[in-house]
Amino acid sequence: AQSVTQPDIHITVSEGASLELRCNYSYGATPYLFWYVQSPGQGLQLLLKYFSGDTLVQGIKGFEAEFKRSQSSFNLRKPSVHWSDAAEYFCAVGPGGSGTYKYIFGTGTRLKVLA
Amino acid sequence: EPEVTQTPSHQVTQMGQEVILRCVPISNHLYFYWYRQILGQKVEFLVSFYNNEISEKSEIFDDQFSVERPDGSNFTLKIRSTKLEDSAMYFCASSELVGNQPQHFGDGTRLSIL
């Protein structure tokens, strides 16, 4: 069955520290992978996406993610976190030519940033 | 940058009433979607819509739900005879193509059923 797992429900980091949010997926076909961020009361903003090619992808707000097929992972990283990064982060898997249209989301990781 | 807009931002409705959630997708997009997020839970797919018909729906999307593109710009989700468990954030999304074009999400409508 298709699924996305975000093992960390909550993560707290100090401002300026590095960040890594984990995402593992189970998907029959070659997946398309996404990270979205949701600030309180806001919608889902696309941070970055992976379709093919270079397995290290750059996104907005200084985020990057690395696709590792052997580990079925797509972890999100940022070298230095800012207080404004506090939000909930969702990893999602999208249709990779498998005939479906839907995205499958993980349960999210809530990031807290300490000043 | 063009964006998906949803109205209203918050809808409060009595149980048993009908509610219509409205969305204006990005203008050149062809695929439209509804997702919902019950408080504290993951975002779940409801339905996708292309070429004026439903292209895929989840098991959540039963006869209580319907979607429509009444004109060239709006995309609506109707929930008939609402139940308490319909309380959730409902997100509209659109994409230019399916597959290697990302879905762009609106800010959502928070639906509260009393």
Side-chain angles (χ1 to χ4, degrees):
Chain A
Q2 302 163 351
S3 66
V4 177
T5 302
Q6 293 181 247
D8 305 304
I9 298 174
H10 297 278
I11 282 186
T12 300
V13 300
S14 298
E15 191 171 18
S18 63
L19 172 70
E20 182 169 29
L21 302 182
R22 296 182 291 166
C23 173
N24 293 96
Y25 65 89
S26 173
Y27 202 79
T30 301
Y32 295 151
L33 296 158
F34 308 88
W35 276 98
Y36 286 85
V37 60
Q38 184 181 31
S39 298
Q42 301 296 312
L44 297 165
Q45 182 182 23
L46 179 68
L47 281 177
L48 46 77
K49 59 186 184 290
Y50 172 78
F51 294 138
S52 64
D54 193 347
T55 56
L56 184 64
V57 292
Q58 302 296 320
I60 62 172
K61 305 186 180 186
F63 285 93
E64 66 178 26
E66 186 171 13
F67 170 58
K68 292 186 178 180
R69 186 187 300 276
S70 61
Q71 298 177 21
S72 297
S73 69
F74 188 57
N75 294 348
L76 181 71
R77 301 194 294 248
K78 187 169 184 178
S80 177
V81 170
H82 188 263
W83 63 266
S84 61
D85 294 325
E88 187 148 24
Y89 292 79
F90 292 93
C91 181
V93 171
S98 60
T100 181
Y101 298 82
K102 64 185 178 185
Y103 283 9
I104 298 171
F105 284 83
T107 49
T109 297
R110 185 170 296 279
L111 174 65
K112 182 177 179 180
V113 180
L114 301 176
Chain B
E1 182 178 333
E3 57 184 28
V4 176
T5 56
Q6 292 186 242
T7 55
S9 57
H10 191 190
Q11 174 80 45
V12 181
T13 301
Q14 291 290 328
M15 185 172 59
Q17 297 297 305
E18 175 182 287
V19 64
I20 297 176
L21 309 182
R22 304 181 190 280
C23 169
V24 179
I26 295 173
S27 62
N28 65 328
H29 285 189
L30 303 177
Y31 294 82
F32 315 115
Y33 315 85
W34 284 101
Y35 291 77
R36 80 172 183 190
Q37 183 184 29
I38 295 172
L39 187 63
Q41 298 185 25
K42 67 169 68 176
V43 177
E44 302 173 290
F45 170 80
L46 291 177
V47 66
S48 62
F49 191 85
Y50 169 71
N51 199 26
N52 282 319
E53 61 183 26
I54 290 173
S55 45
E56 186 178 8
K57 61 182 180 179
S58 71
E59 62 275 8
I60 302 169
F61 193 88
D62 59 21
D63 292 342
Q64 184 193 8
F65 295 88
S66 62
V67 289
E68 190 179 29
R69 188 157 166 81
D71 53 44
S73 60
N74 290 281
F75 178 52
T76 62
L77 174 69
K78 182 188 292 185
I79 310 175
R80 288 180 284 275
S81 189
T82 49
K83 304 187 285 275
L84 294 175
E85 53 265 38
D86 295 326
S87 295
M89 180 76 91
Y90 288 81
F91 291 106
C92 175
S94 68
S95 65
E96 191 173 351
L97 299 169
V98 69
N100 64 350
Q101 292 290 331
Q103 295 176 14
H104 295 264
F105 288 77
D107 284 345
T109 293
R110 180 164 298 285
L111 177 63
S112 300
I113 306 299
L114 304 179

